[in-house]
Amino acid sequence: MSSAGSLSSMQRLVEQLKLEAAVERIKVSQAAAELQQYCMQNACKDALLVGVPAGSNPFREPRSCALL
Amino acid sequence: MCDQTFLAVVFGPCDKCSKEKPLRAVYIKSEQLSYCSLCVEMGLQTSGPNKFGHLAETAFWHAFLGRGSPGAAPRAGDAQQLALTCCRPAGAGGQAGLSLPPGGAVPGLRALGSAGPQQGRGGAGSRVAEAAGASAASPRARRAKELLPPSLSLSPVSLPASLAKMATEGLHENETLASLKTEAESLKGKLEEERAKLHDVELHQVAERVEALGQFVMKTRRTLKGHGNKVLCMDWCKDKRRIVSSSQDGKVIVWDSFTTNKEHAVTMPCTWVMACAYAPSGCAIACGGLDNKCSVYPLTFDKNENMAAKKKSVAMHTNYLSACSFTNSDMQILTASGDGTCALWDVESGQLLQSFHGHGADVLCLDLAPSETGNTFVSGGCDKKAMVWDMRSGQCIQSFETHDSDINSVRYYPSGDAFASGSDDATCRLYDLRADREVAIYSKESIIFGASSVDFSLSGRLLFAGYNDYTINVWDVLKGSRVSILFGHENRVSTLRVSPDGTAFCSGSWDHTLRIWA
């Protein structure tokens, strides 16, 4: 029955919204600070960000041609 | 077309959780026990003396390939042995097919074959979702109005008993529906209020004091040629070297990205293989598309073995498969489908472990949380929503609806506290999970084509996004500005992944090639 279907789906939606409204949240300033901190801590390991010495990136080293 | 019976599965009580499930052999301190796949998962996540060795997984694949696993014998006594066929006939049982979620999801295939780049606003999927929502709105209420001509009062005495009962029932349901609707609206308003209260600053303001990024020199270092048609999806192997890619012509190819050699190739029975994934052990790949299934192929270097013959169908959906991913082990696969649902499957038995209903239209993408942060995943769909799910309970924990069009790609931030999304509305957005809101938008007036695929660099400072205007834009995640545009592809970029160690990223395109950038 489509009406029972839409009724139960509305009930589910209300339940879901109640759940989502009850989620614990922190301030954006704190969340942003933690995102930034993670970036800074891991920046040195990020090869695409800081670049690695030419030898150690397997994609950057020149490929040798095999002579058959 | 049915695959043959291939694997005898031991079914019995798990040694850890005591539930009746398909079991596999694990080795802990040289002792052989039988665990169900969920307990194997948990064992693989822990560290210390209870962590399993790699032995458990290679034993699984050895058994799979028929080579006899070392020392793994079925438990005597209360275990039953079942031979399971991989292909389940269409009418079989509730767990085989997933029914469409009620009240929505007229599953429309997205505009896949459109020639040339699409404009940003309003994908086909979102229009379908709107139509479905409108038609589902209280047909009972409409019928109740028809039964009572406007001039008649609501007194039941003036009408025949059955009609009166139906009329008042209809009106009663109408009231309940209306009251639920108002409650839903007020809850939505309250949610927005709560979120806004904590919105004290923007991310780029917090990041003002961070040093700006310098010039980036990123070039195509390898071009992988070999697909005969549009490349739709790709994934890296954990060995940071191998890549699996799938394309519109049904071919799935495994490449060695250092040498650009093709190591394996298999032709799927369907075209538009929209999803492919590499198993964490590197021993298998999963792929699927218009066949509505997710199939797992074990990778073997034996020239005499035909890869296609060892294929195993794991997932069955009622519409196309848009995304798939192994969880932390080879034992479970998470899939997303055009039927509006996501699902978690046990690879060995093909059993549905958990299904996730909530999207109002096709689900286009999913990403698992980095293993340290627990059992959640995020999915994005044509209903413009990104939803975060708990894998164990099937519950949606959080949802975000700020995009203006279909969400094509979602990817977790490396720390697991946030995720980015790319959408047909030509923007990428960053959502923080603990603040429960969108915290950044990556867009420019000059960018009008949809973003098809996004991924973060290792530290999370850079966001790489592939667009339908053939370019890749590199964004500074903290400051919100674009640091680089990469040209090279000759058609829209459909997929983009950074390698597991962050030394390079790979992009696949409708121009039939994949490019490795570093």
Side-chain angles (χ1 to χ4, degrees):
Chain A
M1 216 34 261
S2 54
S3 65
S6 59
L7 195 64
S8 63
S9 68
M10 278 308 292
Q11 279 169 339
R12 249 179 289 131
L13 180 64
V14 169
E15 287 308 313
Q16 180 63 34
L17 284 170
K18 282 191 189 148
L19 228 129
E20 289 183 24
V23 159
E24 271 188 37
R25 295 178 192 87
I26 64 174
K27 283 201 183 151
V28 174
S29 49
Q30 186 190 345
E34 290 186 26
L35 289 176
Q36 186 182 316
Q37 188 188 35
Y38 186 88
C39 273
M40 298 296 110
Q41 273 174 353
N42 293 287
C44 47
K45 295 185 227 153
D46 191 345
L48 289 167
L49 188 66
V50 299
V52 286
S56 55
N57 188 331
F59 292 106
R60 286 201 187 195
E61 70 197 22
R63 283 186 297 159
S64 53
C65 301
L67 293 170
L68 297 165
Chain B
M1 178 194 75
C2 227
D3 304 334
Q4 66 275 56
T5 313
F6 76 100
L7 188 66
V9 171
V10 178
F11 196 91
C14 168
D15 278 329
K16 185 149 192 240
C17 64
S18 316
K19 292 195 185 144
E20 290 277 335
K21 283 195 168 171
L23 300 175
R24 58 183 56 78
V26 297
Y27 302 90
I28 301 179
K29 298 179 207 166
S30 329
E31 193 198 344
Q32 188 206 311
L33 298 169
S34 301
Y35 275 21
C36 71
S37 62
L38 281 171
C39 292
V40 169
E41 271 277 328
M42 292 202 291
L44 286 167
Q45 282 179 18
T46 59
S47 51
N50 287 326
K51 186 171 170 60
F52 309 152
H54 188 60
L55 208 55
E57 293 199 348
T58 45
F60 168 56
W61 289 113
H62 276 299
F64 190 95
L65 293 168
R67 289 184 196 140
S69 64
R75 268 164 60 100
D78 43 8
Q80 300 164 349
Q81 234 175 348
L82 293 174
L84 297 176
T85 48
C86 1
C87 179
R88 289 169 296 283
Q95 67 192 36
L98 291 176
S99 55
L100 292 170
V106 175
L109 205 58
R110 300 181 71 237
L112 292 167
S114 53
Q118 273 177 2
Q119 278 299 324
R121 323 280 155 204
S126 50
R127 283 199 292 275
V128 164
E130 277 163 8
S135 63
S138 52
R140 192 69 179 273
R142 275 188 267 123
R143 222 180 79 221
K145 282 197 199 143
E146 286 160 32
L147 288 171
L148 287 176
S151 54
L152 266 179
S153 69
L154 293 176
S155 158
V157 228
S158 51
L159 298 165
S162 54
L163 251 172
K165 187 159 177 285
M166 271 202 314
T168 46
E169 258 178 33
L171 285 170
H172 189 253
E173 280 210 24
N174 187 25
E175 279 166 16
T176 325
L177 205 63
S179 68
L180 278 176
K181 275 205 183 126
T182 43
E183 196 182 348
E185 290 304 314
S186 77
L187 277 170
K188 274 189 200 160
K190 183 173 166 223
L191 196 60
E192 283 315 308
E193 248 182 65
E194 291 294 315
R195 284 176 170 170
K197 270 186 213 168
L198 298 164
H199 187 201
D200 50 351
V201 78
E202 297 288 341
L203 175 62
H204 62 87
Q205 288 171 310
V206 170
E208 256 165 19
R209 275 176 267 123
V210 175
E211 240 179 73
L213 297 170
Q215 276 291 4
F216 276 93
V217 179
M218 256 180 261
K219 294 198 293 196
T220 302
R221 305 288 172 175
R222 304 280 191 278
T223 307
L224 305 177
K225 293 187 192 173
H227 276 296
N229 213 318
K230 310 178 171 70
V231 176
L232 301 174
C233 187
M234 56 100 14
D235 192 16
W236 288 87
C237 177
K238 284 218 160 59
D239 70 359
K240 312 153 210 167
R241 179 176 174 147
R242 286 180 180 76
I243 287 178
V244 63
S245 63
S246 66
S247 95
Q248 187 198 338
D249 62 358
K251 285 239 171 21
V252 178
I253 301 180
V254 176
W255 313 78
D256 176 343
S257 60
F258 289 179
T259 61
T260 74
N261 289 337
K262 300 178 199 39
E263 295 193 344
H264 301 89
V266 70
T267 307
M268 293 274 286
C270 66
T271 56
W272 286 93
V273 187
M274 292 176 251
C276 62
Y278 226 117
S281 67
C283 299
I285 55 168
C287 48
L290 287 188
D291 57 353
N292 301 357
K293 295 194 282 203
C294 185
S295 309
V296 173
Y297 292 87
L299 296 174
T300 168
F301 281 95
D302 190 340
K303 293 273 189 296
N304 298 326
E305 286 185 31
N306 179 11
M307 253 181 86
K310 293 285 180 182
K311 162 180 154 171
K312 178 181 183 5
S313 294
V314 173
M316 296 270 270
H317 280 278
T318 52
N319 209 325
Y320 66 92
L321 191 86
S322 52
C324 65
S325 172
F326 284 89
T327 58
N328 290 324
S329 76
D330 289 14
M331 317 297 187
Q332 293 177 353
I333 284 190
L334 199 53
T335 57
S337 166
D339 64 14
T341 67
C342 300
L344 181 67
W345 308 83
D346 178 273
V347 172
E348 196 168 29
S349 62
Q351 198 181 2
L352 173 68
L353 298 170
Q354 187 62 261
S355 70
F356 307 90
H357 296 259
H359 277 286
D362 307 14
V363 186
L364 296 178
C365 50
L366 60 83
D367 190 35
L368 272 128
S371 40
E372 304 84 49
T373 47
N375 296 303
T376 59
F377 73 94
V378 60
S379 65
C382 289
D383 56 356
K384 313 175 204 168
K385 284 207 289 202
M387 302 176 83
V388 181
W389 307 87
D390 179 325
M391 280 210 282
R392 295 294 153 97
S393 65
Q395 190 80 32
C396 169
I397 312 172
Q398 289 168 282
S399 76
F400 306 89
E401 196 171 351
T402 59
H403 271 292
D404 297 320
S405 187
D406 308 358
I407 298 181
N408 296 314
S409 174
V410 285
R411 195 71 66 206
Y412 267 96
Y413 189 76
S415 70
D417 292 327
F419 69 91
S421 60
S423 160
D424 274 345
D425 66 4
T427 68
C428 299
R429 294 172 200 237
L430 185 70
Y431 298 90
D432 189 293
L433 293 171
R434 289 155 321 147
D436 190 37
R437 61 171 297 121
E438 172 193 296
V439 293
I441 308 184
Y442 307 102
S443 68
K444 264 177 122 64
E445 293 247 341
S446 52
I447 302 176
I448 55 171
F449 290 99
S452 61
S453 189
V454 297
D455 203 355
F456 285 101
S457 69
L458 197 77
S459 65
R461 182 69 192 271
L462 299 175
L463 180 69
F464 300 97
Y467 288 78
N468 295 341
D469 62 1
Y470 316 173
T471 65
I472 296 170
N473 287 310
V474 186
W475 300 90
D476 180 333
V477 170
L478 298 177
K479 290 191 182 283
S481 55
R482 179 174 64 184
V483 294
S484 189
I485 318 181
L486 302 173
F487 299 97
H489 278 297
E490 291 158 17
N491 206 321
R492 64 165 78 176
V493 179
S494 52
T495 177
L496 192 154
R497 294 297 288 265
V498 172
S499 78
D501 61 353
T503 51
F505 70 91
C506 179
S507 60
S509 160
W510 281 17
D511 68 2
H512 310 188
T513 67
L514 293 118
R515 283 170 183 252
I516 315 268
W517 307 77

